[in-house]
Amino acid sequence: MHNAKPRRISLGVNIDHAATLRQARYREMPETCGGIIEPDPVHIALLAEDAGADGITAHMREDLRHIQERDILRLRESLRTRLNLEMSCEESIVAFALRLRPDSVCLVPEKRAEVSTEGGLDVAGQLGRISGIAGRMRDAGITASLFIDPAPEQVAAAAKTGAPCVELHTGAFANARRDPARREAELSRLRRAAGQAVNLDLTVNAGHGINYHNVREILSIPHLNELNIGHSILSRALLHGIGPAVHEMLALLRGE
Ligand code: PXP
């Protein structure tokens, strides 16, 4: 049985989409100031911490489509849990991470050539480059994780890089919503990959597309250390927060 003993799985909350919403209105002035430029992803991160999140994940993409450098600097100063910086393998971003010193980084593909067939980082195809980055992170005391497909060759390659951790890409499983056979096949791949990773002394995290409906199935993956979840938690926050937000505006309209 996979769930033989109870485990405490950490929750990393990805706040990127709080910044996506901000950028939709304030692309020209992305600096959050005085609560006017809203929503503030750092404020959201602090509330997630208050609610018990074990860490906060943010991805400063090269195209800066959501999180900005200033957000990351403010997160670094404000968080009381852990900052996990999702990042590309681009040298300028690697140098930024080494200066910033987040608690951990998760290397993700951004350029077409870095993407494996299914969407994770193609570690097997760029072993030297990724080993180099993993080594520099280790020397700086930063835990490096590699976002990979649950494919045997990628898990094996990840272990060769010296990175201590992998994040298994759960997107193919999540996308197989209407195909139970595919879904079960993807879950089996994830379970096998987790077992292989642990045998190679890798810590196993998972993320992408995990939501309130599929998380129970995700828990059948053995050896999970941490789940990184963004879109569904922020969507749920909007859903549950719409009532109070409307009440507050109505109270202002009515001078209450
Ligand atoms: N983990 C990684 C490496 C990601 O790239 C993402 C998406 O940015 C997530 C986790 C979170 O995915 P989601 O927003 O679908 O929960």
Side-chain angles (χ1 to χ4, degrees):
M1 277 297 291
H2 291 297
N3 278 325
K5 60 177 177 204
R7 301 161 285 164
R8 187 189 180 284
I9 299 172
S10 299
L11 173 64
V13 175
N14 180 314
I15 53 149
D16 289 350
H17 293 311
T20 303
L21 187 56
R22 179 192 60 194
Q23 298 304 98
R25 169 57 55 97
Y26 295 109
R27 194 167 298 284
E28 302 310 319
M29 31 179 179
E31 295 271 322
T32 301
C33 57
I36 296 165
I37 309 291
E38 60 187 6
D40 176 7
V42 179
H43 193 176
I44 306 277
L46 294 174
L47 291 174
E49 282 190 327
D50 287 348
D54 298 289
I56 300 296
T57 297
H59 183 183
M60 189 176 77
R61 296 182 63 96
E62 284 173 57
D63 63 11
L64 296 177
R65 76 167 72 139
H66 37 54
I67 293 287
Q68 310 294 304
E69 181 171 330
R70 175 96 182 107
D71 296 323
I72 300 287
L73 298 176
R74 289 177 60 231
L75 286 169
R76 175 72 289 188
E77 284 165 14
S78 329
L79 294 185
R80 291 147 302 173
T81 59
R82 289 182 276 115
L83 172 61
N84 176 41
L85 180 69
E86 262 182 39
M87 54 176 272
S88 76
C89 300
E90 198 54 40
E91 179 51 34
S92 61
I93 302 281
V94 171
F96 172 73
L98 290 170
R99 285 197 303 278
L100 180 82
R101 295 190 180 237
D103 300 278
S104 57
V105 294
C106 180
L107 298 184
V108 299
E110 275 192 30
K111 299 226 157 67
R112 200 171 267 279
E114 298 168 342
V115 184
S116 69
T117 37
E118 287 147 76
L121 187 65
D122 183 12
V123 181
Q126 37 181 350
L127 202 52
R129 182 184 188 207
I130 292 172
S131 302
I133 298 172
R136 290 164 74 191
M137 294 298 161
R138 187 179 53 243
D139 293 346
I142 301 167
T143 303
S145 175
L146 309 178
F147 182 54
I148 57 168
D149 298 330
E153 67 278 11
Q154 297 296 345
V155 178
K160 287 186 195 149
T161 65
C165 197
V166 286
E167 180 168 324
L168 297 178
H169 192 327
T170 49
F173 157 75
N175 288 339
R177 271 186 300 276
R178 300 208 175 95
D179 184 343
R182 267 273 322 280
R183 205 176 167 75
E184 190 46 46
E186 292 298 341
L187 259 185
S188 296
R189 293 179 73 220
L190 286 159
R191 292 184 194 122
R192 281 197 301 275
Q196 181 190 358
V198 157
N199 284 335
L200 292 167
D201 276 336
L202 291 162
T203 298
V204 181
N205 299 335
H208 201 90
I210 300 174
N211 59 39
Y212 294 83
H213 306 284
N214 64 21
V215 69
R216 278 203 188 83
E217 288 164 275
I218 289 285
L219 294 182
S220 73
I221 302 169
H223 314 299
L224 286 175
N225 169 65
E226 178 168 278
L227 297 180
N228 280 306
I229 308 179
H231 187 269
S232 67
I233 290 181
L234 287 173
S235 301
R236 190 59 61 115
L238 282 177
L239 185 68
H240 286 183
I242 188 72
V246 171
H247 289 149
E248 202 178 320
M249 185 55 79
L250 282 173
L252 287 170
L253 294 186
R254 291 168 186 163
E256 289 166 6

